[in-house]
Amino acid sequence: MIDILDFPDLQPSSMEPDQFVICPYCQSGFTLDTGVLQTLHRTGSVEGNYFNIPLTPGGRQIDDFNGVNVGETRPVPMHKIHEGCEYTSLFITGASRKGINEENWLPFEIADSQNQARLGDNLLITVVRTGPTNLAINSTLREDRDGQGPLSFGDEVDVSYRATVSHREVTNPTWVDLLVDAQHAIQEDNLLAAIPLLRSAVDNCLIRQMIIYYRWEGHDLDSAIDEANDLEKGHLNRYTIAKHGLEEVSNTRLTSGPYAQLWDDFDDVVQQRDSIIHCETDPYLEEPEEADVIKLFNTTVAVLVAAYDLFEFSGAVETHNG
């Protein structure tokens, strides 16, 4: 992940998925796809918790807090955000009454979505994005609350939250945008919408990794696409790459090699996606649990990192000169 302070020298408006970007540290060339996957892979572990972490090139997270009076909406600018950046999601991390010792804090819990939380029994707090670098904090007392309670109109509450920040001039690879959209859907409690996005992200990313591999082998873009299509007479899909593509590259398969169990786990994403897309006869779709969808999200990203590991791009990232 390139530090956001290096972006002014990289011309972010020219950073596109099919272009090689020159690393400001080692002067090697890399694509945005491999840059993101290398960042996810560098922890040394393929399987991990990828949910709520930045996925965009140059993305990062920043923590902030502001006060708001009970019963009011307060528009606030985002602190610590660099020029050219915007935040793409927000989620609350804590809230407490101002000036109250921690041992007397009211119970805090996330409500229906990650940008909503309850403080005590009576107060609902919401943090929403109102512009590229601005947000609003709303603090509302429950209408049917019992008695006065510990909070009343005008009391000040401190709200802490985390923002995922991206550079607005960088053009993300399609699979990154799909995963970001899936992340947002989960954060906003729109759980069914996230699952088809996960399946599509894997389809797009695996095909792109195959094409990028051929480019690393010396092909231009058109020739690399032709080589990928020749793998199975033009029927290019995630199965083609997981089997024949990776077998050509590393003499193993994503479907039966060291990550075979992870590939089998991903089948749960595929099955749930199919039940959503092909629901013509179902009167309704049952909403999944948030924890289950987050697990599907982490499995999906882990499959992409596993494929990257088998493609062995890490050495190429260090040696390719664009």
Side-chain angles (χ1 to χ4, degrees), residues 69-104:
N69 291 333
V70 172
E72 296 181 354
T73 297
R74 182 184 179 189
V76 293
M78 194 68 191
H79 301 150
K80 301 176 290 186
I81 193 165
H82 292 280
E83 185 177 355
C85 294
E86 62 184 5
Y87 52 79
T88 54
S89 64
L90 292 164
F91 48 100
I92 297 177
T93 55
S96 63
R97 291 175 292 172
K98 189 175 183 65
I100 302 298
N101 294 331
E102 185 172 351
E103 58 268 20
N104 295 316

Side-chain angles (χ1 to χ4, degrees), residues 87-148:
Y87 52 79
T88 54
S89 64
L90 292 164
F91 48 100
I92 297 177
T93 55
S96 63
R97 291 175 292 172
K98 189 175 183 65
I100 302 298
N101 294 331
E102 185 172 351
E103 58 268 20
N104 295 316
W105 281 0
L106 296 171
F108 167 84
E109 65 175 349
I110 298 298
D112 295 329
S113 62
Q114 294 194 7
N115 68 332
Q116 286 189 332
R118 295 185 184 90
L119 185 61
D121 295 329
N122 299 328
L123 188 67
L124 179 66
I125 301 168
T126 306
V127 178
V128 295
R129 179 182 184 272
T130 57
T133 60
N134 294 86
L135 57 93
I137 307 174
N138 179 266
S139 176
T140 306
L141 282 169
R142 198 180 72 207
E143 185 178 14
D144 59 346
R145 62 191 182 278
D146 296 328
Q148 180 68 18

Side-chain angles (χ1 to χ4, degrees), residues 284-310:
Y284 68 92
L285 290 172
E286 185 176 351
E287 189 80 8
E289 295 291 330
E290 182 184 89
D292 294 335
V293 181
I294 291 175
K295 182 179 179 181
L296 297 179
F297 182 94
N298 287 329
T299 297
T300 298
V301 179
V303 165
L304 302 182
V305 178
Y308 175 82
D309 184 60
L310 295 179

Side-chain angles (χ1 to χ4, degrees), residues 232-243:
E232 201 167 294
K233 299 179 181 179
H235 299 293
L236 198 59
N237 53 49
R238 67 181 181 280
Y239 290 110
T240 304
I241 307 304
K243 294 179 180 178

